[in-house]
Amino acid sequence: MTTLVPRGPYSNEELRRLYPANLKLQLVQILLRHGERSPVSARFQNTGLAPYWPYCSAAKRFSSVVMTKTDWSTWNELQWRRRVETFGDDDRPVLAAGPGGEVDTVCQLGELTDKGRETTLSLGERLRHLYVNQLEFMPKIISDADMIYLRATPMPRALDSVQQSFIGMYPASTRTASFPPPTIITRAPTDETLFPNEHNCRRFSQLARAFAQRTADRWNDSKDMDYLNSLISKWMPESSPRVAVDSHPRLSGIMDTVNSTLAHGPKTRLPSAFYDTKGREIIDKIGSEEWFSGYKESQEYRKVGIGALVGDIVTRMVGNIDRSGNDGLREVAGVDGDLGKGRGGESGIKLTMSGCHDTTLAAILSSLGAFEGEEWPPYTSHIAVELFKDESVKTDSATPAEPAPRQSFLGSSRKKTKSASLMMRKPTQELTAEEKAKLQGHYVRLRYNDRPVTIPGCQLPGNHMNGDETFCTLQAFKAIADKFTPRIWTDACAERLGQPAFPVSPELAGF
C-alpha cells in the first residue's frame, strides 16, 4: 500500500465502545510515519521516469534564522528559495529540472512532497477532531506547547511531518498571540532510537543482514520471483539483470520507487507492469519478511532493533503515573536553569507526537505480535498508544517521585545515574509491591490507523480489561515490553558480535 485512505471520524456509538465511561484517558503517544515523499534514490530512468520531481513547493518558501548583530543580541529570519544543481552532459553545472522543466519546486531525494505535507496536516486535523472536539482530552486553545512532547528523527521529512501534524492539530487560530516556540526534540544519529538504527548499532546490523540473506535464499529462485522478473526485468540494469531480494536495485528499493510514484501525479509514473496487482502483493510480502520477520522471531532482534524506543514509551506511561517528570516533561518544558515545569505551569505531558518511519511502526507492531497479515505501512500511518485509568478502581494517590539526575553539560551522565534502576526502566519482576500497586487500575490500548490492536499476551486471563482484550493492563504491557527493552542500548549493540543471528527456535513476539 502507498497512500493511506483514512477512515471517517468515529460515530458516537463507536466512541462509547472505544472510550468507556469508567476509563479516564491520561496520556496519548502518537508515532507517525512521514507523509508521501520522493524516492530515496533515482531508479529506472531508462523507463522515462524523471530523476527530479517537481512536487516540493516549500522550496520556494524556505526561511532560516540569521544573526543580525555581531554582539549576538539581534536575530531575524532570512527567507530564500532553493534550486537544485546537478551535472550536465559535459560535467558542467546545470539546474535540475522536473519533467516539465520546473526548477523552483524540485525535490531532493527522499524529501516530503506537497502531497506528504497535505496528508500529515490532515492527520493533525483528524487528531484534533478526536482528542479535542470529540473526547475533550486536549484543550481547544493553548498558550504554549509544554504539555506536548514533539520529537523527530534526523531525517528532514520526519521533522517536516511532525511539524505539519502539529499545525493541523493546533493551527494559528487555536494558539494565543503570546504562544512561544514549541520544543521539538532531536537526537544525534548515533543516539537515534526512533527508528531501527542499523548504521549505529553493530549487532542489529549483523542481525538485519542475516535475516535479509535468509529471505534472499528463500525467495530469489522462487516462482514468485520469476513472476516479478517476467514483469519488470527488462528495465533492470545490465550489471544486475534479474530482480531479487539482493539485486541492484534491491527488491525493497523497487518497492520504494513503485510506492512513491503511485502516491504522486502522472508526470512521474513507471510503466504499468510495475503496478501489476499480483506483482505488488509479492513485493510487499517478500519485503515485509526481509525487514520485519526478525522482530517476530527473535528477542535479541527486538531488543537492539526497537526495544529502546518501546522502553521509552513505557517510561513515559509510568512517569505519567508517578509524576516524576519522566513522561517527557523534563525534556520539553521550561527554560535554561528552570527545567521540569511548563512555561504555562504544566506539570505533566498529555500528548506526544513523534515523526518517524515505516520501519518504526512495523517494528513496534511486529515486536508486540500485532502485525500479522498487515501490509507495509502506508505513508502517514500512525500508532496511538493510549494510557487509561479505571476510575472505578481506587488506588493510593501517587507520591511524586524523586526527579532523575539532570544531564551534565559536560556530556552524557546516563551510565553514572543508573537509569535502569528507576521504576519505569526496572523489569516488572523486580518491582516492589508498592511500585506494582501504582500500576494497578491502568490500561494500555494501541490503535493502528484508527483500528484497535490486540496483543497476544494481553489476551491471557488477568491481562486485559473484562470484555475487551484490546485494553491491556499496564503491568502486563510493561512485562511484555520489558523482555526486549535493553538496560543500556549502546551496550546491547556491542554485545554478541559475530555470534549466531538466529535463535535456536522462534521466540514468539507479544508475550
Side-chain angles (χ1 to χ4, degrees):
M1 189 180 291
T2 173
T3 292
L4 176 70
V5 180
R7 58 151 291 159
Y10 294 129
S11 67
N12 290 336
E13 178 58 34
E14 288 174 313
L15 283 175
R16 283 191 289 270
R17 177 171 50 83
L18 291 169
Y19 297 92
N22 63 302
L23 295 186
K24 179 183 178 182
L25 186 59
Q26 291 200 178
L27 175 68
V28 177
Q29 300 183 69
I30 303 293
L31 298 109
L32 62 105
R33 185 192 177 188
H34 57 77
E36 288 80 349
R37 56 159 172 76
S38 55
V40 297
S41 180
R43 310 179 185 97
F44 298 114
Q45 295 176 52
N46 58 350
T47 68
L49 181 63
Y52 294 100
W53 291 15
Y55 303 134
C56 292
S57 298
K60 297 190 292 186
R61 301 170 174 86
F62 284 147
S63 64
S64 298
V65 176
V66 293
M67 181 187 292
T68 56
K69 287 288 184 70
T70 56
D71 63 0
W72 304 5
S73 64
T74 309
W75 300 79
N76 210 325
E77 288 187 1
L78 172 67
Q79 295 184 335
W80 55 285
R81 67 177 181 179
R82 181 196 68 198
R83 288 181 175 176
V84 178
E85 192 173 81
T86 186
F87 290 106
D89 292 338
D90 56 359
D91 222 34
R92 64 185 174 86
V94 297
L95 280 178
E102 306 90 343
V103 297
D104 286 334
T105 59
V106 166
C107 303
Q108 296 276 24
L109 293 173
E111 185 172 0
L112 191 72
T113 60
D114 297 339
K115 179 66 176 179
R117 290 180 179 276
E118 173 197 333
T119 60
T120 47
L121 179 68
S122 177
L123 171 61
E125 292 172 345
R126 298 199 308 275
L127 293 174
R128 180 177 179 84
H129 184 71
L130 175 61
Y131 291 115
V132 176
N133 299 338
Q134 291 185 303
L135 298 177
E136 299 182 343
F137 171 67
M138 294 294 291
K140 291 183 180 296
I141 297 176
I142 55 176
S143 57
D144 66 66
D146 284 4
M147 70 178 73
I148 303 173
Y149 175 98
L150 302 174
R151 181 178 162 192
T153 71
M155 305 291 186
R157 59 182 176 269
L159 177 61
D160 291 341
S161 293
V162 81
Q163 290 172 338
Q164 290 286 166
S165 294
F166 174 75
I167 290 299
M169 190 168 186
Y170 281 105
S173 61
T174 66
R175 291 176 272 128
T176 62
S178 60
F179 186 86
T183 303
I184 301 180
I185 303 294
T186 62
R187 290 191 181 189
T190 52
D191 295 338
E192 188 56 79
T193 57
L194 199 46
F195 58 76
N197 197 335
E198 190 174 341
H199 293 293
N200 291 289
C201 181
R202 292 177 63 195
R203 181 55 178 167
F204 181 62
S205 178
Q206 290 181 351
L207 296 178
R209 286 198 302 269
F211 276 85
Q213 186 58 54
R214 187 187 70 174
T215 305
D217 294 341
R218 179 178 293 169
W219 291 102
N220 278 357
D221 296 320
S222 66
K223 290 183 179 179
D224 280 345
M225 198 66 73
D226 289 341
Y227 182 79
L228 291 179
N229 275 277
S230 72
L231 293 173
I232 61 177
S233 64
K234 64 181 177 181
W235 291 291
M236 291 292 286
E238 292 182 5
S239 58
S240 185
R242 180 173 169 81
V243 177
V245 172
D246 50 0
S247 57
H248 298 283
R250 296 183 69 90
L251 185 63
S252 57
I254 296 172
M255 177 169 62
D256 171 64
T257 300
V258 169
N259 286 343
S260 55
T261 54
L262 266 179
H264 294 91
K267 293 181 180 179
T268 50
R269 283 292 169 92
L270 293 161
S272 60
F274 284 87
Y275 307 119
D276 178 83
T277 300
K278 179 181 176 181
R280 291 186 60 215
E281 290 173 351
I282 292 171
I283 291 174
D284 190 286
K285 174 181 65 177
I286 298 175
S288 293
E289 179 178 323
E290 177 191 0
W291 286 79
F292 310 135
S293 61
Y295 299 105
K296 300 178 181 181
E297 300 177 26
S298 167
Q299 198 81 282
E300 184 185 18
Y301 202 104
R302 296 189 280 270
K303 177 181 289 187
V304 293
I306 206 66
L309 175 59
V310 174
D312 290 344
I313 292 170
V314 173
T315 290
R316 283 191 282 271
M317 290 192 286
V318 178
N320 176 277
I321 293 169
D322 71 5
R323 294 185 290 164
S324 61
N326 289 298
D327 56 357
L329 183 71
R330 185 173 290 106
E331 288 90 331
V332 303
V335 295
D336 278 348
D338 188 22
L339 302 179
K341 185 178 181 180
R343 287 169 286 185
E346 296 86 356
S347 59
I349 295 295
K350 297 191 70 174
L351 176 79
T352 80
M353 194 180 291
S354 297
C356 50
H357 305 270
D358 44 8
T359 53
T360 310
L361 304 192
I364 292 172
L365 294 173
S366 296
S367 295
L368 294 172
F371 200 65
E372 293 301 320
E374 297 284 354
E375 295 179 318
W376 194 277
Y379 295 117
T380 320
S381 290
H382 75 284
I383 298 172
V385 183
E386 299 170 320
L387 174 68
F388 298 86
K389 185 180 186 302
D390 189 342
E391 296 281 75
S392 67
V393 176
K394 292 186 177 181
T395 57
D396 293 334
S397 298
T399 301
E402 284 293 318
R406 294 179 185 268
Q407 283 290 103
S408 165
F409 286 107
L410 300 178
S412 174
S413 59
R414 183 155 64 102
K415 290 189 177 181
K416 292 181 181 179
T417 61
K418 298 182 180 179
S419 63
S421 65
L422 297 173
M423 175 183 169
M424 60 287 304
R425 286 297 201 188
K426 190 187 297 184
T428 301
Q429 66 269 22
E430 297 178 15
L431 294 178
T432 65
E434 181 182 0
E435 289 170 333
K436 289 181 178 178
K438 290 183 178 181
L439 307 182
Q440 296 301 312
H442 290 86
Y443 295 93
V444 181
R445 197 259 309 280
L446 272 65
R447 293 184 304 107
Y448 174 50
N449 289 335
D450 298 315
R451 178 165 39 86
V453 167
T454 301
I455 298 169
C458 298
Q459 295 178 288
L460 300 176
N463 284 0
H464 59 268
M465 186 176 73
N466 288 336
D468 193 334
E469 295 177 347
T470 66
F471 285 98
C472 190
T473 66
L474 176 56
Q475 184 168 329
F477 184 88
K478 184 180 186 310
I480 293 169
D482 286 345
K483 292 177 183 177
F484 61 94
T485 298
R487 286 190 179 255
I488 302 293
W489 176 69
T490 51
D491 289 352
C493 288
E495 294 170 351
R496 288 180 44 79
L497 298 177
Q499 296 298 307
F502 301 100
V504 175
S505 59
E507 298 162 341
L508 297 182
F511 292 94

